[in-house]
Amino acid sequence: MSRIKKLVMATNNKNKLREAREIFSPIGIEVLSQKDLNIECDPEENGKTFAENAKIKAEALYSAIPENIAVIADDSGLCVDILNGRPGVYSARYAPDGQKCSKLLDEMKDIPDDKRTAYFECCIAFIDENGEYKSFSGKCMGKIGYEEKGTNGFGYDPIFVYGDKTLAEMSAEEKNNISHRGNALKELYKYLKESE
Ligand code: ITT
């Protein structure tokens, strides 16, 4: 069991919130949104790494909430090896939603199969109810496909191939079991259990 039963997620991305809830609700941790607390928070993400940006978001929300409640923030993105890790921390800004996958497929159109390796990375910044900060990260290794497949998930899921499927062809449970976000949140949960 975790000593933390409730936390608020510093995000404006409803898919991240949904995935965090899918992972944490069954183990007894309620994930509130900024909206649930009537807080608007969207700090400038000017860090150079996922960890820096996650910390910026977590600290901004922590200082905006009136009560002492634990906070998590997720900064994540897709890193393509042949593109030297791009779009990386710029994944959200790479193209508007709905054009991200097609733009990346276009950039990758002449890249052969063995050079299409990529990974998702997620950094979770956690600030507990006493203001103590810790960070956790997770990765998911895969490949960039040749076309968009599947309608589940969000962002780059339709072109990210893991095993023989894209993440958008997986159920929520299947994705959460192997995803960067799932792996990072599992690390956080392990810490919460150990630090009881
Ligand atoms: P917040 O900052 O408000 O949390 P955001 O969407 O701007 O939301 P990021 O700055 O962390 O979040 O950008 C991450 C982007 O990387 C996200 O918008 C997606 O395009 C992509 N991404 C992250 N996790 C993903 C996942 O599980 N599946 C597909 N794409 C993902």
Side-chain angles (χ1 to χ4, degrees):
M1 287 268 280
S2 154
R3 72 184 164 88
I4 303 269
K5 298 277 180 282
K6 187 162 88 172
L7 40 80
V8 53
M9 188 168 193
T11 185
N12 292 300
N13 181 324
K14 57 184 190 319
N15 290 293
K16 288 182 180 180
L17 183 68
R18 173 182 50 78
E19 291 185 357
R21 283 177 169 157
E22 285 161 358
I23 292 165
F24 273 177
S25 298
I27 49 183
I29 300 175
E30 185 186 3
V31 182
L32 302 173
S33 67
Q34 301 180 174
K35 241 201 214 140
D36 292 331
L37 300 184
N38 277 322
I39 294 172
E40 292 241 348
C41 194
D42 192 12
E44 195 188 342
E45 297 178 31
N46 51 15
K48 287 190 199 66
T49 62
F50 296 116
E52 281 173 19
N53 282 337
K55 193 172 183 211
I56 289 169
K57 290 186 268 193
E59 284 177 343
L61 181 60
Y62 190 78
S63 56
I65 47 177
E67 29 171 346
N68 285 359
I69 169 168
V71 164
I72 55 170
D74 164 320
D75 200 70
S76 45
L78 176 64
C79 304
V80 180
D81 294 325
I82 192 84
L83 303 179
N84 295 320
R86 278 196 308 112
V89 290
Y90 298 103
S91 293
R93 292 161 271 181
Y94 176 70
D97 279 333
Q99 292 172 38
K100 287 182 168 70
C101 291
S102 52
K103 182 174 171 188
L104 190 58
L105 284 177
D106 195 49
E107 257 204 270
M108 299 283 291
K109 67 180 183 311
D110 298 323
I111 307 295
D113 208 36
D114 62 332
K115 296 212 162 60
R116 300 180 74 88
T117 51
Y119 62 91
F120 272 117
E121 184 164 345
C122 172
C123 180
I124 297 285
F126 169 70
I127 303 180
D128 77 7
E129 69 282 20
N130 303 313
E132 195 178 318
Y133 157 82
K134 262 219 68 80
S135 111
F136 303 88
S137 68
K139 280 191 181 176
C140 178
M141 315 300 288
K143 277 187 160 192
I144 304 302
Y146 294 91
E147 56 180 328
E148 294 182 44
K149 281 187 182 168
T151 53
N152 298 331
F154 69 102
Y156 300 89
D157 284 346
I159 58 167
F160 187 86
V161 180
Y162 179 93
D164 59 358
K165 287 188 202 178
T166 69
L167 296 190
E169 292 177 299
M170 294 184 179
S171 67
E173 198 182 353
E174 278 178 285
K175 178 182 170 185
N176 291 335
N177 271 332
I178 53 93
S179 78
H180 48 309
R181 184 162 300 103
N183 290 332
L185 289 172
K186 271 175 233 155
E187 288 301 309
L188 166 60
Y189 184 58
K190 231 189 272 170
Y191 168 76
L192 292 176
K193 279 201 304 191
E194 283 161 7
S195 65
E196 248 180 294

